[in-house]
């Protein structure tokens, strides 16, 4: 009796071992870190898209790890790579590209996306978005959840103060004039509603880049080893930002929090706000009033930096894993899925042919605001990206915050930031 | 306390104590209230808005709280188990054995009371990484398992055990291990209980080291989960965050409210020494 | 091989201690020494290995305005939280020690913040401090005071942190005072009654001095906390605006895990350790003298 029991057990063990072996051979497992805004339906959209992919590709399993915001995700993905944990691809900040190259953790797509079809696919994205992906002629990132900054305005409040709700301000001066009308005070002189708010925490440098472009200045060079913080036009842009609060009194003093700005807009505490188009769907669903979306106002020209995340493939992925990852990325960036993703979030669809899908065509026809960010592409520039980006971003963020809180004048703050950035970047030239 | 001022003074004092208590409880009460009401009513501070469970539903869907609970539970259990074993052994050594270098060793232990693993994140991360324990629950708990605080408390407790009991057991031929298990540990039960509660509270609420060492939802405890939950890319909805926060703190809070005396006694006991 | 009794105890002593000793050495003592050594080398980067640079990192640190800012912040933060939380803790303990209606509820209210994780309470307080739609501003507007960007103004951001820390810790320290108060022999009170001493007099001349060891203990704890607890910064301000609310340990985290500059982070850690070390010496010199250990 005992013998047969042993035989059965051995047989079972062998069977499991064999099955385990075959299963291991058959499925490629991909771990992906990504930063998505918490919003309930969003994480579900990603999960659904992944499920569809896995159904169509039973030999690939994708595990998506939500790691927080862009900064958190970069920290976590890098930490995982350094600790030799399995992670083959990630959606990371488009501007982390230099850091990722410096840390030698990613591979350029050109190395293995070599067929004619692949090359066509690489070329099918908006050039404005590829600006942050291409370094020294190679493509390191594929656009996925990309954005520009747009101007949201509360049409009901516009009507209330006698402004045309369908003509949002198109220049800096128009914006100031409109904001002055929109700012409302109560009997004791305290402001109950501000005209416009530009957030200065979280991604202050991003907002600032928009102002600088509108004044005709880029903040860094293409190679990411020189910054332009102390140019007079850049100083002027920062002065304008400060003046909105200090001189024109249409914006509150001090830093304005990125995270709570959307809620303030939804509650009518501010009539206009500068924010990412990635907020569009959330605003659409939460607004109990009529609202409009438009391109940012111009000074010398219109402009906005692009923003958002790209797909990156990590160096430590095996050739097999890289192939699987490429397949997955192609799937996620196919026109139809890009369209769905854009509708669910408000991020811009990353390729022209996505806008020609019936899904998105219909959506844009009903909701023109969805096309604003895309239309702004013609004026868009690459987002702020340099070597040791986290450090230089912080120098810039700190300088901006010191100015909007009135602690330092723009020229002094930006000169100091430029010096600090110089010290860091000179080793990269 | 018998010395009294006037009875009016007493009443005034009681009122002041109550007012302070209200101020102290206010934030939690506010979060509780906000978690059950839609966001619009929360910002308008409309006390009689409709009650809704939507926030909890959203919070539960958005972040894997169930997973976070499991992780946290595993973490505190694993850490406490390790601490109980290691600290008992070390306390035993300090309390009842003479060996060269004992005084220096004890001073080195005391160092950790001031300088905890929390402030040594840079090097500890490298160490944990080379042990291959990044993004594991063991990796979170390991630096804390040799707890100077625990060793200290247990040493005190063991020292108070009358030597006669040990002698009696030794006379019966018991080994060192046996003496530990049969004499010392049972008599130090109150200390173990106190230490256990303090340790569980501490590690349930610990944040900095866990956020450094964990990368994925498989290992994240509640505190780390809450921090990413509350800091998304596009914006925050306070009602949902309140709901998520209430979800995360409920177990410990309920345990505390039910076993208040034990909690308070534990903290008191651990502080007295 | 049979060891004699003394040698046996010796060997066994070390054996019992060994596991804990190994772990503690690995995660406390080695990092302290290792961190110090690392501070004399440069951070390895792409294409450049780590090399000995002597005191270069320290020179960079001394020239770094952010370092001085966070150091200053930390001391201000400590000055703000320690006295207030200690005094409040004593007040709370005195109150809770008396008999009045609802005493247990009051004690629970005071102690509850201690039980909650700082991350959770920071989320709640973030909304308090939010301008215009947050609770604090709403209360202000109710009283006709203009609202303010509490977390966005460098002159108030740190203060906001201090208030939060006091709220969190006072109840915790109250417990120690409570234990000490209950340990004061009632004979003192009886004697004071007989002599006709007033409450304030009794408090000043009897209670306070008897509570001195507890006060010192609580103060040291509060000081350690003010250097060790930085969770709320992650949620409330991330150190801003312009590092106005950043603390040393948070800066270390930023440098080590945001910029991956491990050498500089080690250098900063050395400073933190020196501060904590100085506190340790203070504690052992002054407090140990007054409290007897076995």
């Amino acid at each position: 009796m005992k013998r047969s029991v042993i035989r059965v057990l051995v047989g079972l063990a062998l069977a499991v071992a064999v099955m385990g072996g075959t299963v291991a051979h058959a499925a490629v497992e991909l771990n992906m870190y990504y930063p998505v805004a918490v919003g309930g339906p969003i994480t579900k959209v990603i999960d659904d898209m992944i499920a569809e992919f896995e159904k169509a590709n039973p030999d690939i399993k994708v595990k998506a790890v939500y790691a927080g915001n862009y900064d958190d995700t970069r920290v976590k993905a890098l930490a995982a790579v350094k600790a030799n944990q399995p992670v083959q691809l990630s959606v990371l900040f488009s501007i982390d590209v230099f850091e990722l190259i410096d840390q030698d953790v990613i591979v350029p797509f050109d190395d293995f996306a070599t067929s004619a079809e692949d090359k066509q696919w690489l070329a099918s994205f908006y050039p404005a978005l590829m600006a942050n992906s291409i370094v020294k002629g190679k493509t390191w990132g594929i656009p996925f959840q990309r954005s520009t900054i747009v101007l949201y305005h509360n049409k009901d409040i516009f009507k209330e103060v006698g402004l045309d709700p369908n003509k949002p301000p198109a220049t800096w001066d128009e914006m100031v004039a409109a904001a002055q009308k929109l700012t409302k005070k109560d009997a004791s002189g305290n402001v109950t509603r501000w005209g416009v708010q530009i957030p200065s925490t979280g991604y202050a440098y991003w907002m600032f880049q928009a102002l600088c472009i509108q004044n005709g200045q880029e903040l860094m060079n293409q190679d990411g080893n020189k910054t332009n913080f102390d140019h007079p036009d850049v100083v002027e842009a920062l002065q304008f930002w400060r003046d909105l609060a200090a001189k024109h009194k249409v914006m509150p003093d001090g830093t304005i929090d990125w995270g709570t700005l959307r809620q303030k807009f939804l509650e009518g505490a501010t009539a206009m706000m500068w924010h990412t188009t990635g907020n569009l769907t959330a605003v659409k669903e939460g607004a109990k009033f009529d609202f409009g979306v438009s391109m940012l106002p111009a000074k010398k020209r219109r402009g906005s930096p692009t923003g958002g995340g790209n797909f990156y493939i990590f160096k430590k992925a095996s050739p097999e894993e890289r192939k699987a990852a490429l397949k997955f990325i192609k799937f996620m960036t196919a026109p139809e899925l890009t369209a769905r993703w854009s509708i669910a979030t408000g991020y811009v669809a990353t390729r022209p042919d996505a806008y020609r899908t019936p899904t998105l065509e219909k959506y844009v026809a009903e909701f023109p605001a969805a096309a604003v960010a895309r239309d702004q592409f013609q004026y868009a520039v690459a987002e702020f990206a340099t070597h040791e980006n986290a450090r230089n971003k912080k120098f810039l963020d700190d300088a901006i915050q010191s100015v909007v809180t009135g602690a330092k004048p723009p020229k002094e703050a930006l000169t100091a930031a430029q010096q600090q950035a110089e010290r860091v970047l000179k080793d990269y030239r | 306390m018998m010395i009294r001022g006037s009875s009016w003074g007493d009443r005034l004092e009681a009122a002041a104590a109550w007012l302070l208590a209200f101020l102290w409880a206010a934030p939690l009460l506010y979060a509780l209230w906000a978690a059950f009401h839609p966001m619009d009513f929360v910002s308008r501070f409309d006390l009689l808005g409709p009650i809704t469970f939507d926030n909890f539903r959203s919070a539960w869907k958005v972040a894997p709280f169930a997973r976070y609970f499991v992780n946290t539970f595993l973490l505190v259990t694993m850490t406490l188990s390790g601490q109980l074993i290691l600290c008992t052994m070390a306390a035993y050594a300090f309390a009842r054995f003479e060996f060269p270098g004992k005084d220096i060793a004890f001073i080195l232990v005391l160092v950790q009371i001031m300088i905890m693993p929390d402030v040594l994140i840079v090097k500890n991360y490298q160490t944990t990484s080379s042990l291959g324990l990044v993004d594991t629950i063991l990796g979170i708990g390991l630096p804390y398992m040799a707890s100077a605080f625990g060793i200290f408390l247990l040493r005190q407790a063991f020292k108070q055990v009358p030597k006669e009991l040990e002698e009696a057991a030794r006379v019966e031929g018991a080994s060192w291990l046996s003496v530990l298990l049969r004499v010392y540990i049972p008599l130090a039960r109150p200390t173990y209980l106190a230490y256990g509660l303090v340790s569980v509270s501490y590690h349930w609420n610990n944040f900095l080291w866990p956020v450094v060492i964990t990368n994925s939802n498989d290992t994240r405890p509640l505190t780390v989960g809450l921090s990413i939950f509350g800091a998304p890319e596009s914006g925050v909805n306070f009602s949902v965050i309140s709901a998520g926060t209430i979800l995360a703190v409920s177990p410990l809070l309920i345990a505390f409210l039910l076993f208040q005396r034990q909690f308070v006694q534990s903290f008191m006991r651990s502080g007295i020494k | 091989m049979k060891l004699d009794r003394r040698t046996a105890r010796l060997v066994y002593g070390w054996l019992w201690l060994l596991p804990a000793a190994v772990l503690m050495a690995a995660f406390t003592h080695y990092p302290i020494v290792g961190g110090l050594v690392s501070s004399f080398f440069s951070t390895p980067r792409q294409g450049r290995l780590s090399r000995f640079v002597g005191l270069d990192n320290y020179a960079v640190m001394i020239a770094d305005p952010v370092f001085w800012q966070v150091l200053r912040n930390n001391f201000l933060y400590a000055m703000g939280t320690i006295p207030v939380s200690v005094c409040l803790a004593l007040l709370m303990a005195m109150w809770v020690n008396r008999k009045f209606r609802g005493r247990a509820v009051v004690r629970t209210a005071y102690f509850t913040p201690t039980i909650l994780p700082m991350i959770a309470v920071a989320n709640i307080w973030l909304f308090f401090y939010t301008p215009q739609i947050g609770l604090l501003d709403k209360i202000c507007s109710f009283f006709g005071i203009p609202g303010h960007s509490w977390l966005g103004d460098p002159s108030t951001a740190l203060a906001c942190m201090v208030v939060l820390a006091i709220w969190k810790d006072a109840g915790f320290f109250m417990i120690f005072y409570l234990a000490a108060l209950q340990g004061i022999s009632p004979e003192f009170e009886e004697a004071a009654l007989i002599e006709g001493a007033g409450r304030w007099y009794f408090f000043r001349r009897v209670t306070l001095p008897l509570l001195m060891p507890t006060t010192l203990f609580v103060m040291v704890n509060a000081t350690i906390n003010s250097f060790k607890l930085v969770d709320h910064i992650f949620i409330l301000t991330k150190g801003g605006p312009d590092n106005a609310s950043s603390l040393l340990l948070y800066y270390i985290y930023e440098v080590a895990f945001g910029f991956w500059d491990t050498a500089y982070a080690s250098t900063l850690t050395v400073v933190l350790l020196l501060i904590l070390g100085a506190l340790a010496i203070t504690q052992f010199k002054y407090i140990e003298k007054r409290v007897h250990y076995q």
Side-chain angles (χ1 to χ4, degrees):
Chain A
M1 231 287 270
K2 244 190 165 179
R3 265 239 177 109
S4 56
V5 169
I6 294 182
R7 267 203 214 122
V8 169
L9 286 174
V10 169
L12 271 174
L14 276 173
V16 168
V18 167
M19 261 175 33
T22 23
V23 167
H25 267 298
V28 175
E29 256 201 43
L30 297 177
N31 285 307
M32 172 180 93
Y33 281 75
Y34 76 106
V36 182
V38 164
I42 310 302
T43 9
K44 193 163 177 320
V45 174
I46 288 250
D47 289 341
D48 286 346
M49 282 156 76
I50 293 182
E52 278 178 39
F53 174 76
E54 286 180 339
K55 225 168 97 179
N57 297 276
D59 54 338
I60 308 181
K61 288 237 153 304
V62 179
K63 189 153 154 251
V65 182
Y66 168 52
N69 60 25
Y70 283 117
D71 285 326
D72 292 339
T73 309
R74 179 189 71 244
V75 170
K76 287 308 155 192
L78 274 177
V81 167
K82 283 174 190 256
N84 279 322
Q85 285 192 298
V87 51
Q88 290 78 17
L89 70 157
S90 281
V91 174
L92 295 173
F93 230 162
S94 64
I95 58 176
D96 283 336
V97 64
F98 286 105
E99 172 96 27
L100 294 169
I101 295 177
D102 284 341
Q103 301 260 8
D104 199 23
V105 292
I106 53 174
V107 283
F109 282 80
D110 322 80
D111 282 359
F112 51 92
T114 43
S115 73
E117 187 214 332
D118 287 342
K119 291 210 209 290
Q120 207 186 30
W121 168 74
L122 282 175
S124 64
F125 297 94
Y126 280 108
L129 296 177
M130 294 305 272
N132 273 120
S133 306
I134 301 187
V135 175
K136 295 215 172 12
K138 289 199 166 177
T139 307
W140 299 83
I142 298 293
F144 178 56
Q145 52 188 58
R146 302 297 298 271
S147 55
T148 61
I149 310 175
V150 292
L151 179 67
Y152 293 82
H153 71 278
N154 186 325
K155 288 191 178 176
D156 290 354
I157 301 183
F158 264 57
K159 272 189 258 184
E160 180 193 312
V161 301
L163 290 166
D164 183 347
N166 296 314
K167 289 197 88 223
T171 68
W172 282 13
D173 290 335
E174 281 179 29
M175 188 176 81
V176 172
Q180 280 170 330
K181 279 213 178 123
L182 294 159
T183 306
K184 186 160 101 164
K185 298 202 172 104
D186 66 10
S188 31
N190 297 327
V191 176
T192 53
R193 180 180 69 214
W194 294 98
V196 64
Q197 294 198 17
I198 305 179
S200 39
T201 70
Y203 303 94
Y205 71 93
W206 197 49
M207 293 288 157
F208 185 52
Q209 227 189 323
L211 286 166
C212 292
I213 285 298
Q214 288 150 19
N215 208 18
Q217 285 301 318
E218 290 262 18
L219 280 176
M220 80 284 170
N221 65 353
Q222 253 249 349
D223 287 335
N225 53 25
K226 189 153 173 44
T227 53
N228 192 24
F229 298 158
D230 50 359
H231 190 283
D233 289 344
V234 171
V235 174
E236 192 185 24
L238 191 49
Q239 184 66 56
F240 174 70
W241 194 346
R242 174 66 184 144
D243 285 345
L244 285 172
K247 194 161 117 191
H248 307 295
K249 305 226 183 291
V250 297
M251 205 167 82
D253 224 350
T255 58
I256 295 177
D257 185 57
W258 177 279
T260 48
L261 182 53
R262 180 183 73 208
Q263 191 59 36
K264 283 194 259 181
F265 180 71
L266 290 177
E267 309 224 349
T270 179
M272 296 191 280
M273 73 166 176
W274 288 35
H275 223 306
T276 167
T277 184
N279 251 328
L280 186 56
T281 307
V283 170
K284 177 161 170 269
E285 284 167 10
K288 300 211 163 44
F289 49 83
D290 213 3
F291 74 96
V293 175
S294 58
M295 292 194 245
L296 294 179
K299 181 138 193 320
K300 295 188 181 151
R301 47 164 285 189
R302 291 252 197 205
S304 163
T306 59
N310 288 348
F311 273 113
Y312 294 94
I313 295 189
F314 288 114
K315 202 173 192 185
K316 51 190 301 232
S318 68
E320 202 183 28
E321 288 168 340
R322 290 183 197 182
K323 261 180 62 194
L326 184 60
K327 229 175 172 189
F328 176 66
I329 295 175
K330 280 188 175 175
F331 180 83
M332 297 290 271
T333 54
E336 184 59 39
L337 265 94
T338 306
R340 269 167 53 190
W341 180 241
S342 172
I343 295 176
T345 56
Y347 284 118
V348 191
T350 52
R351 41 197 305 174
D353 49 9
Y355 283 100
R356 292 193 284 270
T357 61
T359 326
L360 208 44
E361 265 188 353
K362 184 163 165 289
Y363 186 69
V364 170
E366 291 169 8
F367 186 49
V372 170
R374 176 203 64 189
D375 294 339
Q376 202 170 213
F377 273 159
Q378 51 178 308
Y379 307 111
V381 297
E383 189 177 351
F384 183 73
T386 63
H387 293 270
E388 289 196 47
N389 206 37
R391 265 218 150 97
N392 296 320
K393 257 195 304 170
K394 185 149 163 61
F395 295 143
L396 190 52
D397 280 343
D398 286 351
I400 295 168
Q401 289 185 340
S402 71
V403 169
V404 299
T405 54
K408 289 199 197 134
K411 189 150 180 315
E412 182 190 321
L414 287 169
T415 313
Q418 176 68 12
Q419 281 173 347
Q420 289 169 306
E422 264 302 291
R423 210 172 34 87
V424 169
L425 288 176
K426 67 178 190 312
D427 290 338
Y428 292 90
R429 289 207 277 263
Chain B
M1 187 121 166
M2 289 189 319
I3 299 185
R4 289 186 174 291
S6 71
S7 142
W8 268 114
D10 279 350
R11 292 223 195 99
L12 215 57
E13 261 198 80
W18 267 99
L19 182 61
L20 190 63
F22 176 70
L23 279 178
W24 241 240
L28 189 58
L29 293 174
Y30 181 59
L32 257 172
W33 171 78
F36 285 101
H37 292 80
M39 187 61 198
D40 309 329
F41 293 89
V42 169
S43 17
R44 268 180 280 143
F45 208 40
D46 192 343
L47 279 172
L48 300 169
I51 294 204
T52 170
F53 284 96
D54 279 348
N55 296 321
F56 285 95
R57 272 193 277 267
S58 302
W60 190 262
K61 262 196 301 189
V62 157
F65 279 103
R67 182 77 221 201
Y68 293 152
F69 272 121
V70 169
N71 291 341
T72 310
F73 184 72
L74 284 174
L75 172 64
V76 300
T77 310
M78 201 187 285
T79 309
L80 183 61
S81 311
Q83 285 174 327
L84 289 178
I85 297 175
L86 290 174
C87 296
T88 302
M89 289 166 64
Y92 193 38
F94 280 120
R96 281 294 178 251
F97 291 83
E98 290 308 318
F99 46 93
K102 176 172 166 179
D103 292 328
I104 301 182
F106 192 62
I107 293 185
L108 285 178
V109 166
L110 290 181
V111 167
Q112 204 215 37
I113 295 197
M114 294 295 293
I115 299 180
M116 303 194 208
D118 300 328
V119 304
L120 299 164
I121 45 176
V122 185
K123 255 299 178 263
N124 278 338
Y125 180 77
Q126 290 173 347
T127 310
T128 313
S129 177
S130 46
L131 287 172
L133 288 176
V134 169
D135 206 26
T136 61
I137 297 196
L138 181 60
I140 308 178
L142 201 58
Y144 296 98
M145 286 187 185
S147 157
F149 189 57
I151 296 178
F152 199 65
L153 278 186
L154 288 171
R155 174 178 166 275
Q156 299 286 97
F158 286 170
K159 280 197 141 167
Q160 287 176 326
V161 172
K163 278 222 165 77
E164 297 81 48
L165 290 173
E166 180 192 325
E167 294 298 318
R170 296 282 298 157
V171 157
E172 288 176 31
S175 68
W176 291 113
L177 181 61
S178 193
V179 169
L180 177 65
L181 288 174
R182 285 195 302 150
V183 178
Y184 286 98
I185 292 184
L187 285 175
R189 241 178 51 122
T191 308
Y192 277 112
L193 203 54
Y195 180 67
L197 277 176
V198 172
S199 168
V200 166
S201 305
Y202 183 81
H203 290 285
W204 190 281
N205 295 341
N206 199 17
F207 172 72
L208 186 59
W209 174 246
V211 83
V212 161
I213 207 72
T214 58
N215 294 331
S216 68
N217 278 337
D218 288 345
T219 52
R220 272 182 203 135
L222 280 166
T223 44
V224 180
L226 265 182
S227 72
I228 39 178
F229 179 65
E233 229 278 287
S234 62
V236 305
N237 178 329
F238 182 62
S239 289
V240 176
I241 291 185
S242 292
T245 306
I246 298 290
L247 273 177
V249 305
S250 330
L252 205 57
L253 191 59
I254 293 177
F256 168 61
L257 291 174
L258 287 177
F259 298 106
Q260 262 183 73
R261 265 182 45 99
Q262 283 86 329
F263 265 94
V264 173
Q265 297 280 27
S266 304
F267 279 85
M268 269 170 71
R269 174 179 232 110
S270 52
I272 279 186
K273 308 291 180 212
Chain C
M1 181 181 84
K2 205 148 196 301
L3 300 163
D4 73 6
R5 199 178 153 94
R6 237 189 100 238
T7 319
R9 286 188 89 111
L10 212 143
V11 171
Y12 276 118
W14 268 110
L15 279 180
W16 283 114
L17 185 55
L18 205 56
V22 166
L23 270 187
M24 201 175 282
F27 290 104
T28 303
H29 303 115
Y30 163 66
I32 297 178
V33 175
L36 181 61
V37 170
S38 292
S39 70
F40 296 122
F41 287 78
S42 67
T43 305
R45 284 206 177 271
Q46 171 65 357
R48 282 177 300 173
L49 295 169
S50 176
R51 53 181 218 288
F52 182 74
V53 290
L55 293 173
D56 268 6
N57 288 326
Y58 290 90
V60 167
M61 183 175 80
I62 294 182
D64 180 4
V66 181
F67 165 67
W68 292 108
Q69 172 92 41
V70 302
L71 206 58
R72 182 174 153 270
N73 286 351
N74 230 145
F75 278 107
L76 283 177
Y77 177 78
M79 293 295 125
T81 50
I82 299 170
V84 179
S85 47
V86 170
C87 289
L88 259 183
L90 181 53
L91 185 63
M92 288 171 169
M94 301 278 296
W95 276 343
V96 169
N97 206 27
R98 315 192 69 183
K99 295 206 185 336
F100 61 92
R101 267 182 0 141
R103 176 171 79 147
V105 175
V106 167
R107 190 189 59 199
T108 309
Y110 292 155
F111 192 60
T112 302
T114 307
I115 286 293
L116 305 172
M118 182 53 121
I119 285 291
V121 307
N123 267 333
I124 302 173
W125 281 74
L126 174 63
F127 198 65
F128 271 13
Y129 287 132
T130 300
Q132 299 182 274
I133 54 179
L135 191 57
L136 202 52
D137 262 18
K138 282 258 154 58
I139 295 177
C140 279
S141 69
F142 185 71
F143 287 111
I145 315 171
H148 197 71
S149 179
W150 305 103
L151 293 173
D153 182 351
S155 52
T156 54
L158 195 59
C160 291
M161 300 291 176
V162 168
V163 171
L164 177 50
I166 293 174
W167 175 78
K168 184 132 197 335
D169 278 344
F172 178 59
F173 299 141
M174 168 190 80
I175 294 296
F176 298 122
Y177 273 124
L178 205 53
L181 278 175
Q182 288 175 355
I184 295 183
S185 164
E187 289 166 355
F188 285 109
E189 233 187 295
E190 285 159 15
L193 257 184
I194 294 174
E195 292 187 31
R199 257 185 81 198
W200 178 242
Y201 183 82
F202 181 76
F203 177 73
R204 219 164 30 99
R205 289 312 205 84
V206 181
T207 317
L208 262 187
L210 282 176
L211 288 178
M212 195 45 85
T214 313
T215 304
L216 285 171
F217 175 78
V218 163
M219 277 181 66
V220 169
N221 245 300
T223 316
I224 300 179
N225 259 0
S226 61
F227 282 95
K228 196 173 72 106
L229 191 60
V230 293
D231 302 358
H232 41 330
I233 302 182
F234 283 84
I235 299 292
L236 290 177
T237 58
K238 291 219 180 307
D242 190 23
N243 302 306
S245 60
S246 187
L247 297 176
L248 187 53
L249 186 54
Y250 185 77
Y251 189 43
I252 292 176
Y253 169 82
E254 260 188 330
V255 172
F257 298 100
F259 310 155
W260 292 107
D261 191 350
T262 45
Y264 189 48
S266 297
T267 317
L268 293 167
T269 308
V270 167
V271 174
L272 181 57
L273 293 179
L274 284 174
I275 296 175
L276 289 174
L279 282 170
I281 296 177
T282 317
Q283 171 181 26
F284 284 117
K285 267 196 145 44
Y286 289 111
I287 299 178
E288 303 308 284
K289 288 213 176 104
R290 307 175 104 101
V291 181
H292 299 290
Y293 284 101
Q294 292 162 340

